[in-house]
Amino acid sequence: MLEWQSADAALPVLFHGAQTMGSDTSPVNLFLLGDTYHIEVAVQDGILFRYYQGAIDRCRGYGAPLSACGFDGAKALDVLRRDAEERGVPLSFCAFDERQCKFLDGLCDIRWHSYDGDSDYIYKRESLSQLSGKKLHAKKNLVNRFWRLYPDAEYRTIGKENIGDALSVAEQWFEERAEDGGDADMTELSRIRKAAEHWEALGLFGGVLYVAGVPAAMTMASAISSQCIDVHFEKAVGTFAAEGAFAAVNQAFASSEAAVPYPYINREEDMGIPGLRQVKEAYRPAFKVEKYYGTVK
C-alpha cells in the first residue's frame, strides 16, 4: 500500500534522478505546483509515484512512475491498479510523454489523447546561447540592440546576496501588469517567492540582468535530468523589457556556467496563448514533448 503525502510538503522525496525532459517530471515543479494541482507523491522500492487530483478535469490520475534505475513496469502498474481501487477511481494517467505511453501500451489497453497548447518546447542550449543562423537572426539583433543601448549591463548569477533582486523584478513585473489592467496570475508570484525561500534545497539556479546596478530581468531554472534544464520563471521589467531584456537574459542564462553542462533547455508550454506560442516558435525549438492522457479500458 502506497503512503501518499502532499507534493508541496514532500521536498526530501522528490529528487528521482529519472532521465526525462517533460516539465511535469521536474522535481521543482512537483514542489511548487503541488498545491495548485493537488499532487500527491509516494516512494516505494526506489520509484516515485505521483497522483494528480485535478485542478482541471483532464489533469486527474497517475503520472508516469519515475526512478533513477530501471524497475518492473508490470509490478508498478499493479501497485497503481490497487491504489485506484482503494480510492474508488478509474485507473487514469496524465502527462505521459510518447515513450511512457508506448511502455504502458505493452501492459494494458488504453486510448491516449492530447490537448492543444500542452506540449513542452525543448531547445538546444547551444542554439539559445549562440543565436546563430538565419532563423534566429532577428533574436540575435534584438540581443545586440539591448547591449548597444546598455553597454554597462551585467548578468550575475543568483545567490544569497542578490536573491532579493530577482524577487524585486518579479514583483515589479506583476505591479506593471496590474497597473496596465492586464491579466496576471498572482499565484505565480507566490510560487516565485516559494522558490526563493527554498532556493538551495531545490537546487535552483539562474541569474539577474542589471543595468547600471538596477535589476532589469531575471530567470530561475533547475535541472530536470542530466540532459535538460527547466526554466520555471523569466521576467523583465520597465523600458528594459521593451528594449530586449527578455531576449538578453534568455541568451545570457543559456551561456552561463550553470547551464553549459546541459544539452537541452525546456521552456515549458504555450498554454494555447497565441502571443506566447509565437514567441516560443520564434526561438526554433529542437522538438516538443507532447503530453498524453488516458484511462485504462
Side-chain angles (χ1 to χ4, degrees):
M1 181 176 177
L2 293 172
E3 296 182 6
W4 296 96
Q5 57 182 310
S6 171
D8 61 320
L11 184 59
V13 308
L14 294 180
F15 293 88
H16 49 76
Q19 292 303 304
T20 56
M21 289 193 179
S23 61
D24 67 290
T25 67
S26 158
V28 171
N29 275 342
L30 289 173
F31 180 72
L32 296 179
L33 298 172
D35 56 347
T36 301
Y37 292 99
H38 311 300
I39 306 170
E40 295 179 354
V41 295
V43 175
Q44 183 172 291
D45 299 327
I47 304 169
L48 177 66
F49 294 95
R50 299 168 290 152
Y51 182 71
Y52 296 77
Q53 298 190 57
I56 50 179
D57 286 343
R58 73 169 181 257
C59 197
R60 181 173 291 121
Y62 298 94
L66 301 169
S67 176
C69 306
F71 60 89
D72 188 319
K75 286 184 178 178
L77 180 61
D78 227 25
V79 168
L80 295 182
R81 198 185 301 274
R82 290 197 304 271
D83 190 80
E85 289 173 358
E86 291 172 5
R87 291 178 184 268
V89 298
L91 184 54
S92 298
F93 300 97
C94 57
F96 271 52
D97 63 27
E98 188 172 343
R99 179 182 58 83
Q100 292 162 343
C101 288
K102 289 179 179 178
F103 174 74
L104 199 61
D105 285 340
L107 299 172
C108 59
D109 186 9
I110 185 169
R111 181 174 296 172
W112 298 101
H113 51 275
S114 58
Y115 298 90
D116 183 51
D118 204 25
S119 299
D120 287 343
Y121 287 71
I122 312 294
Y123 304 85
K124 290 183 178 179
R125 183 207 57 79
E126 188 176 17
S127 175
L128 294 183
S129 172
Q130 296 182 359
L131 298 175
S132 58
K134 185 182 294 185
K135 291 181 178 179
L136 291 172
H137 186 67
K139 291 296 182 185
K140 190 165 189 175
N141 282 345
L142 186 60
V143 171
N144 289 340
R145 177 176 179 270
F146 177 85
W147 290 105
R148 283 197 304 271
L149 285 170
Y150 303 108
D152 60 346
E154 180 186 7
Y155 177 87
R156 301 179 200 164
T157 298
I158 294 176
K160 289 181 179 179
E161 71 285 351
N162 68 340
I163 188 71
D165 291 341
L167 278 176
S168 72
V169 170
E171 289 164 354
Q172 184 179 337
W173 187 89
F174 281 94
E175 287 173 7
E176 290 173 355
R177 292 301 171 282
E179 291 170 0
D180 293 342
D183 183 21
D185 180 6
M186 295 306 292
T187 59
E188 183 186 16
L189 181 56
S190 68
R191 289 196 289 269
I192 294 172
R193 288 169 172 159
K194 188 175 182 178
E197 181 183 355
H198 299 278
W199 186 262
E200 292 185 359
L202 289 169
L204 284 154
F205 48 91
V208 178
L209 186 63
Y210 294 86
V211 175
V214 176
M218 70 83 171
T219 188
M220 294 181 172
S222 71
I224 298 175
S225 67
S226 63
Q227 294 295 303
C228 190
I229 296 167
D230 186 5
V231 174
H232 303 287
F233 310 109
E234 186 176 88
K235 304 296 180 191
V237 295
T239 57
F240 305 124
E243 292 166 344
F246 273 109
V249 77
N250 183 349
Q251 190 268 345
F253 171 72
S255 306
S256 67
E257 184 178 349
V260 164
Y262 301 90
Y264 295 99
I265 295 179
N266 183 328
R267 293 186 60 83
E268 301 193 351
E269 312 94 332
D270 62 41
M271 299 176 288
I273 301 171
L276 189 56
R277 177 171 297 178
Q278 184 178 4
V279 170
K280 290 181 183 291
E281 292 287 0
Y283 275 102
R284 307 296 177 179
F287 58 92
K288 298 177 186 177
V289 175
E290 193 161 0
K291 300 170 190 177
Y292 296 90
Y293 304 77
T295 302
V296 174
K297 297 179 182 178

